[in-house]
Amino acid sequence: MKAIVLSKCGSPDVLQISEVPDPHPTANELLVKIHYSGVNYADLLSRQCRYSWAPKLPYILGLEASGEVIEKGKDVRNFEVGDRVILGVQSGGYAQYITIQESLALPMPNHFNFQEGASFLATYFTAWIAMTEMARVREKEVMLVHSGAGGVGTAAIQLGNALGLDVHATTGSEHKRQKIKNLGAEPYSYDDFDQKMPVKPNFILETMGGDVFKRSMKILAPMGRLVSIGATGIQYSKKNPISLFKAWRAIPRVSFRDLLRNSKGFMGLHVGYLRKYPEIIRPAWEKLKALVEEKDIHPVIHKVFPLSDASKAHSFIHARKNIGKVILDPWK
Ligand SMILES: NC(=O)c1ccc[n+]([C@@H]2O[C@H](COP(=O)([O-])OP(=O)(O)OC[C@H]3O[C@@H](n4cnc5c(N)ncnc54)[C@H](OP(=O)(O)O)[C@@H]3O)[C@@H](O)[C@H]2O)c1
């Protein structure tokens, strides 16, 4: 089969397509024909050897995909050949086929096509866990989403509206601000959200780190909750000690005294590390799937690249051109 095997780290042009052996399912695994593969910001970090959840080199890049079951191991009980599934994996998404334990495969929402299936898990499920399981948002609360035009950001805006929240979001350009306004969020820039928001947020989904994180903690309402899921705003070069030091200083940190005096909370989330707790994942997934089906929510997809152009897909995201999701077609 064709796949993108990451064998050395570097710029997008290290992503070259190669021919690798087809996978075969063991007794409790499914063999899935991948229809589309999601590209995530974390893949860009993996490609640069900056992602802590990545396996050791070499491995097939890619954290999520949609597809159909084409074969099942003899002990598989809950899936049949032909079932449409969504997969969240530590590696293996940028390929034509993948095997996965049946306990880790998820049935695709009924109203999704395969492109939407590949655009869903890493973004919506992350936003959903942060909003409902960690911050426990309630109707009419004020939510601020940072990087609202990205994959996670657009998902969080849609979910916030579906849950009846008052949704506000930041983004890096005027063009994107107009887009997220159309999606149902009051838009701001990273520079002025803390000055311009007319109300204090009860919940903040934080993706940037650094100064954006610090100013976000300051504007949380009493009893407010901030969930940090990334630090996209922190860029550094391993060869430049000054940039490394600045990056280290920009990592989100909180003062216990500040939390205590202002009665607010800071939490961190990584959905990858949560995979080992099916008792958390399964019920949260069922609730999310039911909501997107009931409210007819569809992921915002910006562009589909052929798998052979994975390097162009990464460059596109580096250039901050995407509004919503970028996906790969492994059959082109
Ligand atoms: N913890 C978890 O479980 C988890 C799961 C999924 C994602 N995440 C994190 O959530 C964040 C968003 O992920 P995503 O997959 O939704 O990414 P995405 O679609 O690429 O969106 C990221 C957004 O960040 C902004 N950005 C700021 N600085 C950037 C830079 N130097 N390069 C590229 N974009 C930059 C861009 O929006 P503007 O141009 O508007 O600034 C971009 O649209 C990332 O930090 C990611 O690591 C965490």
Side-chain angles (χ1 to χ4, degrees):
M1 68 168 181
K2 292 190 168 39
I4 302 274
V5 180
L6 188 72
S7 46
K8 66 171 180 181
C9 292
S11 58
D13 55 19
V14 299
L15 303 179
Q16 297 297 331
I17 204 152
S18 56
E19 201 62 45
V20 300
D22 287 355
H24 295 286
T26 57
N28 59 9
E29 283 184 335
L30 308 171
L31 174 63
V32 174
K33 177 185 174 187
I34 294 179
H35 282 238
Y36 292 95
S37 317
V39 182
N40 287 286
Y41 188 79
D43 299 340
L44 278 58
L45 297 176
S46 292
R47 199 202 67 236
Q48 299 166 90
C49 285
R50 286 176 48 195
Y51 190 50
S52 69
W53 197 56
K56 285 205 173 100
L57 297 174
Y59 62 92
I60 297 174
L61 202 61
L63 299 170
E64 67 179 332
S66 66
E68 66 183 293
V69 177
I70 57 166
E71 193 183 326
K72 57 179 204 164
K74 66 179 176 49
D75 295 338
V76 167
R77 295 285 169 266
N78 299 313
F79 289 91
E80 297 299 334
V81 169
D83 281 354
R84 302 182 330 140
V85 287
I86 292 183
L87 312 173
V89 288
Q90 199 174 7
S91 64
Y94 289 17
Q96 292 180 316
Y97 298 97
I98 189 169
T99 50
I100 186 164
Q101 281 182 24
E102 72 159 331
S103 59
L104 296 175
L106 297 163
M108 198 152 100
N110 294 324
H111 66 309
F112 278 6
N113 58 37
F114 283 113
Q115 291 194 353
E116 292 168 332
S119 308
F120 187 64
L121 189 59
T123 50
Y124 285 77
F125 200 47
T126 303
W128 181 252
I129 295 267
M131 292 161 78
T132 62
E133 299 291 322
M134 300 188 79
R136 311 241 164 194
V137 293
R138 292 183 289 269
E139 203 178 344
K140 295 199 167 61
E141 280 197 319
V142 178
M143 169 168 90
L144 172 63
V145 180
H146 285 304
S147 308
V152 176
T154 50
I157 291 171
Q158 289 178 327
L159 293 175
N161 283 315
L163 293 172
L165 306 181
D166 176 7
V167 183
H168 302 247
T170 56
T171 178
S173 71
E174 187 50 45
H175 167 62
K176 290 185 179 180
R177 280 192 277 287
Q178 194 51 51
K179 293 280 181 190
I180 62 174
K181 194 170 177 60
N182 297 343
L183 211 56
E186 196 51 44
Y188 306 90
S189 76
Y190 298 116
D191 296 333
D192 65 12
F193 68 90
D194 48 334
Q195 308 296 321
K196 291 207 169 150
M197 270 188 79
V199 276
K200 286 176 177 282
N202 306 102
F203 164 61
I204 302 179
L205 186 62
E206 214 296 275
T207 58
M208 291 288 284
D211 179 55
V212 170
F213 166 78
K214 283 187 194 147
R215 288 186 286 121
S216 297
M217 284 303 293
K218 280 194 185 139
I219 59 163
L220 266 182
M223 311 297 281
R225 295 84 71 201
L226 180 148
V227 180
S228 258
I229 62 163
T232 321
I234 304 179
Q235 301 294 325
Y236 62 89
S237 154
K238 282 182 182 167
K239 292 180 189 152
N240 179 339
I242 294 174
S243 81
L244 271 175
F245 177 67
K246 283 186 178 162
W248 176 78
R249 293 222 0 195
I251 292 170
R253 293 180 180 80
V254 288
S255 127
F256 169 63
R257 202 171 64 162
D258 177 44
L259 295 184
L260 189 133
R261 286 188 178 177
N262 296 291
S263 300
K264 54 191 177 187
F266 167 60
M267 289 174 261
L269 164 67
H270 189 285
V271 285
Y273 291 106
L274 261 189
R275 271 194 354 149
K276 58 179 181 254
Y277 303 105
E279 70 279 14
I280 297 172
I281 295 287
R282 281 280 164 183
W285 169 260
E286 294 302 335
K287 284 186 224 161
L288 170 61
K289 183 169 173 288
L291 181 84
V292 296
E293 285 174 351
E294 184 204 325
K295 303 271 182 185
D296 196 26
I297 293 173
H298 294 264
V300 178
I301 300 173
H302 191 131
K303 202 166 159 81
V304 185
F305 287 87
L307 182 65
S308 52
D309 279 347
S311 60
K312 288 187 184 154
H314 277 219
S315 299
F316 191 77
I317 297 175
H318 274 302
R320 299 164 80 156
K321 288 185 180 162
N322 62 306
I323 294 176
K325 196 77 186 178
V326 170
I327 57 176
L328 301 173
D329 181 343
W331 300 96
K332 282 195 178 150

